[in-house]
């Protein structure tokens, strides 16, 4: 079968590689976002999907706007059986949706968490289960009919990077299943009454306070390593764990000093801190920090 693949980040790269390595599947074109400046030196860097496609001699297209008439006309000339989309970053126009079945792999149990940050939202909400949804795309954002959902469990201390890796593996396997058995799946409409949405993550989302320990810890799980979690002062909490969920404490008060960590009270619950990073400084262990600040029991972290 002939396939057009559309995607940009690591999640998409793994799915593309799985398709390339599957017999009887030919990726005839890859669409990905334009190269972008990366890092402090703003080095122009190609998406990982582009690098992988070029390695295998696959034609790569990087339109600024997929909706432009010339881009649409060019794509419609490519004869394909399926279009597979995974974290591409652009909305597909109707003409492309009608060109071939467009299958999207979304990292949530739709209609929950439509949008840009479903993996982070799973952790922010402390969900015990998530998954990958294969759906037929339509003109809406993650609103298409569902073909199949593969679910996985989420542990209480799972971090975004490990959950990302597990969902990527799930998505890769699900993609092959759907492509091989497409005609055996009956599309099911999403229940709009259950739909929720999640926005693109920004650096500002990482700001936390010692209000609710569970909420703080879930932000740590979702936002490490980026955008990281930090206090209003700019102090980053680099390594923490949830101590307990129910006690009532003074906001930011040091409750315990241990050999490698401290316990800090939240208005509800408490957290244990191992490492921090002051603004514009290097990461350090928490004991070095409180010693330098001459903080002790009953003092507050801010």
């Amino acid at each position: 079968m002939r396939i057009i693949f559309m995607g940009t980040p690591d999640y998409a790269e793994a799915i593309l590689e799985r398709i390339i390595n599957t017999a009887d599947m030919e990726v005839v074109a890859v669409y990905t976002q334009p190269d972008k400046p990366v890092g402090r030196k703003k080095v122009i860097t190609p998406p990982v999907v582009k690098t992988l496609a070029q390695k295998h001699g696959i034609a790569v297209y990087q339109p600024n706007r997929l909706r432009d008439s010339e881009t649409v006309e060019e794509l419609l000339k490519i004869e394909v059986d399926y279009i597979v989309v995974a974290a591409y970053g652009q909305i597909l126009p109707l003409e492309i949706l009608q060109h071939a079945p467009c299958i999207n792999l979304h990292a949530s149990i739709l209609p929950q968490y439509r949008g840009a940050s479903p993996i982070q939202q799973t952790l922010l909400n402390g969900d015990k289960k998530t998954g990958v949804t294969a759906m037929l795309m339509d003109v809406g954002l993650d609103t298409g009919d569902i073909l199949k959902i593969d679910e996985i469990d989420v542990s209480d201390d799972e971090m975004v990077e490990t959950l990302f890796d597990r969902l990527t593996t799930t998505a890769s396997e699900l993609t092959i299943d759907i492509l091989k058995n497409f005609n055996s799946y009956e599309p099911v409409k999403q229940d709009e009454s259950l739909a929720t949405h999640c926005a693109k993550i920004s650096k500002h989302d990482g700001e936390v306070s010692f209000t609710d320990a569970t909420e703080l810890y879930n932000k740590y799980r979702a936002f490490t390593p980026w955008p990281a979690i930090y206090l209003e002062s700019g102090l980053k909490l680099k390594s923490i764990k949830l101590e307990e969920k129910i006690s009532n404490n003074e906001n930011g008060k040091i409750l315990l000093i241990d050999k490698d960590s401290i316990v800090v009270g939240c208005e509800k619950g408490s957290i244990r801190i191992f490492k921090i990073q002051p603004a514009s400084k290097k990461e350090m262990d928490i004991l070095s920090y409180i010693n330098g600040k001459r903080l002790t029991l009953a003092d507050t972290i801010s």
Side-chain angles (χ1 to χ4, degrees):
M1 67 181 70
R2 292 168 59 84
I3 298 164
I4 289 176
F5 183 84
M6 297 182 173
T8 301
D10 295 350
Y11 174 76
E13 179 194 28
I15 297 172
L16 174 59
E17 187 164 33
R18 185 71 174 84
I19 297 173
I20 291 171
N21 293 330
T22 301
D24 302 323
M25 295 185 186
E26 180 188 5
V27 180
V28 296
V30 164
Y31 282 73
T32 189
Q33 294 282 57
D35 299 358
K36 293 183 177 180
V38 174
R40 292 182 178 179
K41 295 185 178 180
K42 303 297 181 183
V43 177
I44 301 299
T45 304
V48 290
V49 163
K50 175 182 179 179
T51 302
L52 176 62
Q54 290 179 328
K55 176 183 174 182
H56 290 274
I58 301 169
V60 176
Y61 301 85
Q62 296 177 274
N64 287 313
R65 279 174 44 87
L66 191 63
R67 292 175 174 272
D68 288 345
S69 58
E70 290 183 3
T71 298
V72 172
E73 290 174 9
E74 185 177 45
L75 186 149
L76 296 181
K77 294 176 182 177
I78 305 172
E79 295 184 8
V80 291
D81 299 296
Y82 300 101
I83 298 173
V84 176
V85 183
Y88 175 41
Q90 294 199 44
I91 299 294
L92 275 61
L94 182 60
E95 299 96 319
I96 292 177
L97 293 172
Q98 295 174 336
H99 183 52
C102 295
I103 302 165
N104 178 247
L105 286 304
H106 187 72
S108 79
I109 300 173
L110 288 172
Q112 188 179 47
Y113 307 152
R114 294 171 177 172
S117 57
I119 301 177
Q120 291 92 336
Q121 198 64 50
T122 293
L123 298 176
L124 289 172
N125 286 356
D127 294 345
K128 304 297 183 183
K129 185 174 291 185
T130 186
V132 177
T133 301
M135 67 174 176
L136 281 174
M137 298 181 70
D138 59 17
V139 293
L141 178 63
D142 301 325
T143 57
D145 293 353
I146 294 171
L147 296 169
K148 186 183 180 185
I149 299 174
D150 280 351
E151 298 183 355
I152 64 172
D153 294 328
V154 182
S155 67
D156 291 339
D157 59 355
E158 182 144 32
M159 301 294 288
V160 69
E161 289 185 315
T162 59
L163 184 56
F164 176 92
D165 289 343
R166 294 203 297 128
L167 286 169
T168 298
T169 299
T170 300
S172 299
E173 297 302 321
L174 179 58
T175 301
I176 303 306
D177 179 6
I178 295 296
L179 290 173
K180 285 185 174 181
N181 305 292
F182 181 79
N183 292 325
S184 68
Y185 290 107
E186 186 69 27
V188 177
K189 289 192 177 299
Q190 296 187 37
D191 185 345
E192 289 297 320
S193 69
L194 300 177
T196 58
H197 297 79
C198 50
K200 187 176 181 180
I201 302 299
S202 71
K203 186 175 181 180
H204 175 73
D205 291 319
E207 184 172 334
V208 297
S209 64
F210 296 111
T211 304
D212 185 294
T214 301
E215 180 181 316
L216 192 160
Y217 183 61
N218 285 343
K219 284 191 174 185
Y220 168 73
R221 295 166 64 208
F223 297 150
T224 300
W226 192 90
I229 61 167
Y230 56 90
L231 303 178
E232 185 178 6
S233 64
L235 182 70
K236 292 181 179 179
L237 307 181
K238 300 292 289 186
S239 178
I240 69 172
K241 75 173 186 179
L242 181 64
E243 187 72 5
E244 49 80 29
K245 304 177 181 180
I246 60 174
S247 67
N248 299 116
N249 308 284
E250 183 181 332
N251 188 309
K253 182 178 179 180
I254 299 175
L255 304 178
L256 174 70
I257 299 176
D258 228 332
K259 61 180 180 179
D260 64 349
S261 59
I262 66 171
V263 175
V264 174
C266 299
E267 293 173 24
K268 182 179 179 182
S270 59
I271 63 164
R272 185 176 289 269
I273 303 176
F274 297 90
K275 294 182 179 180
I276 54 84
Q277 183 177 359
S280 303
K281 294 185 179 180
K282 293 183 179 180
E283 181 179 312
M284 65 175 67
D285 67 84
I286 188 63
L287 296 186
S288 295
Y289 176 76
I290 65 170
N291 288 337
K293 292 287 186 178
R294 296 185 179 181
L295 300 176
T296 187
L297 286 174
D299 287 332
T300 59
I301 298 288
S302 61

